[in-house]
Amino acid sequence: MIRPGCIEDAGQLAALFNAINSLDGNPLPVTMTATHVEQHLLGPSPWSLLRVAEIDGVVAGFITASPAYDSARAAGCYIVIDLYVHPDFRRRGVARALMAAMAAEGRRNGAGCLWWGVDDGDDEATAFYISLGATVEDHFEGRILVGAAYDTLAAEAEP
């Protein structure tokens, strides 16, 4: 069953967020807690849409996405930030169901596409996304501004 997350899911979701964020083997920049999940994703002003896959009362996986505007397509889009299925529940169609739910949510809200990045070397994810019909965005390389560089740039616009 795919559904919105709820407060009772916060602990299970925090564990899944920590699992996805540790896949590269590097130390976690932040250890997600149930409180983070409650405040940032389940509270009155969530930073992202969150949908969970529940199997037999267990949160088997989740997807988060945020609305944005895609000027190349002159339409809204949803940027998928995280998609994760616990290893015990893989190969059951859970990831596909989560992506389908987010695509349906986007279409209901006028979005014209889902957009996401894939970690270098994540061949399993790449194969999954190809199976959905996803294509590579030509001439694009993702970038992120965090930490001191982010703070320095933001300070330039602060009064």
Side-chain angles (χ1 to χ4, degrees), residues 65-71 75-79 110-113 115:
S66 297
Y69 186 75
D70 182 355
S71 62
C77 69
Y78 276 15
I79 299 174
C113 66
W115 190 94

Side-chain angles (χ1 to χ4, degrees), residues 139-153:
H139 310 291
F140 179 80
E141 181 180 330
R143 299 285 176 175
I144 187 169
L145 189 66
V146 297
Y150 174 75
D151 294 338
T152 298
L153 185 62

